[in-house]
Amino acid sequence: MDLRGDLIKYLTKRPYWTLRTETTTCFQKMAGRKVLIVYAHQEPKSLNGSLKSVAVEELGKQGCSVTVSDLYAMQFEPRATRNDIVGCLLNSEQFNYGVEAREAYKRGNLSDDLIEEQKKVQEADLLIFQFPLYWFSMPAIMKGWMDRVLVEGFAHKFPDCYDSGLLKDKLALFSFTTGGSREMYAQGGISGDIRYLLWPMQSSTASCTTVVSKSLLLTSALLRNMSPRRKGRRCCLLGPSV
C-alpha cells in the first residue's frame, strides 16, 4: 500500500485527531495564501517526507503558493558563527552573536543564506515546521535554522516579544512525529506530557509569530491503521523518530 495515499485518506477521515478546531479553521482560511514549510528529515521516503509532500499537494489544491526549505537537502549550516556576519564586526574584541546579528541585519550585512531564508519567511502567511522529535526537541538543524534566521530586529525586538513579535501577522504550525505511542506522551506517561515538551519550542516561536495552538502530532498509535509497511515501526525511541 502507498503511505502517501494512506496519509491523505487518514487526514481526510480524521480531521479532529490531526488538525483539531483551531488548525482546521487556519487551513480553511489559507486559500490563496503563501506557505513556507521548513522541513527537517534526511529521507524523502520517510513519514515526515510523506507528510511534507501531502501538505504541499493539499495546500496547492487550495490555491496556496507553497515554498519548502528542505534543510538537509540544502545542507543548511546550523551553527551560529562569525561567518553569518558580512564585513566588520561591531566589537571585534569580544564576539556577541546576538548583538552582531542584530546590527548586521540592520545594515543588510547578514550572509546570503540567511537573507534568502528571511525573505521566504517575510513572504509567507503560514510557516509549517515538519520534523521528527529528536531527544524531546526538534532536530539540531532546525534549531539552528531558528537560531540563525529569526534574529532580533527581523523576527523579534527584545524585550518586546509575543504580542509585539515582528512576525505576529503570520501563523506557525508544528507538524511532527514522536516514534512512540500516544500513551507515552500523555499526562503521567513515561516520556512526559507532550504539552510540556512542546512548551519551549512553541514559546520561542510565539515570541515572533502567532502559533496555532493545536500542533499536528502523529504518534505510532495513530499510525496503526495506515500502511502495513509501517507496522512494526512502533518503538520507544527517545532519539530520532521516523
Side-chain angles (χ1 to χ4, degrees), residues 9-191:
K9 293 178 182 177
Y10 188 81
L11 295 177
T12 302
K13 292 180 180 179
R14 301 295 296 276
Y16 178 79
W17 268 106
T18 54
L19 299 181
R20 310 289 178 97
T21 54
E22 291 93 337
T23 315
T24 301
T25 301
C26 159
F27 271 72
Q28 289 174 344
K29 294 180 179 179
M30 290 310 299
R33 302 293 185 89
K34 293 185 177 181
V35 180
L36 171 62
I37 300 177
V38 183
Y39 165 68
H41 201 286
Q42 307 91 332
E43 176 52 59
K45 296 179 181 178
S46 65
L47 175 57
N48 276 269
S50 296
L51 285 167
K52 180 262 297 178
S53 297
V54 168
V56 171
E57 181 177 330
E58 294 303 307
L59 287 168
K61 290 179 180 178
Q62 296 181 31
C64 295
S65 174
V66 184
T67 300
V68 177
S69 283
D70 186 339
L71 301 185
Y72 283 103
M74 294 161 54
Q75 297 185 340
F76 184 81
E77 170 59 72
R79 296 172 299 176
T81 69
R82 293 174 183 243
N83 293 331
D84 293 346
I85 316 301
V86 177
C88 297
L89 297 177
L90 191 68
N91 183 350
S92 59
E93 298 298 322
Q94 184 174 355
F95 183 69
N96 183 316
Y97 184 84
V99 172
E100 295 292 350
R102 180 191 67 205
E103 295 305 312
Y105 172 74
K106 291 180 181 178
R107 303 191 305 267
N109 286 349
L110 288 174
S111 58
D112 290 342
D113 60 334
L114 298 188
I115 292 175
E116 179 63 26
E117 291 305 298
Q118 288 177 347
K119 180 180 178 182
K120 295 177 187 177
V121 172
Q122 196 66 59
E123 293 178 348
D125 300 297
L126 169 66
L127 282 73
I128 299 177
F129 295 91
Q130 180 65 59
F131 61 95
L133 205 63
Y134 275 22
W135 293 105
F136 305 110
S137 186
M138 61 181 59
I141 196 169
M142 181 171 284
K143 177 58 166 58
W145 185 94
M146 288 191 166
D147 291 343
R148 298 181 63 225
V149 175
L150 303 181
V151 300
E152 183 178 356
F154 168 70
H156 59 93
K157 182 180 180 181
F158 187 80
D160 299 325
C161 299
Y162 302 102
D163 290 342
S164 300
L166 300 181
L167 303 176
K168 63 183 179 180
D169 60 326
K170 304 179 186 302
L171 296 175
L173 170 69
F174 286 169
S175 171
F176 62 97
T177 59
T178 65
S181 68
R182 185 184 183 192
E183 291 74 19
M184 290 176 62
Y185 291 92
Q187 186 175 7
I190 191 171
S191 294

Side-chain angles (χ1 to χ4, degrees), residues 206-218:
S207 68
C208 311
T209 68
T210 300
V211 176
V212 180
S213 61
K214 299 296 184 181
S215 296
L216 169 53
L217 164 64
L218 287 180

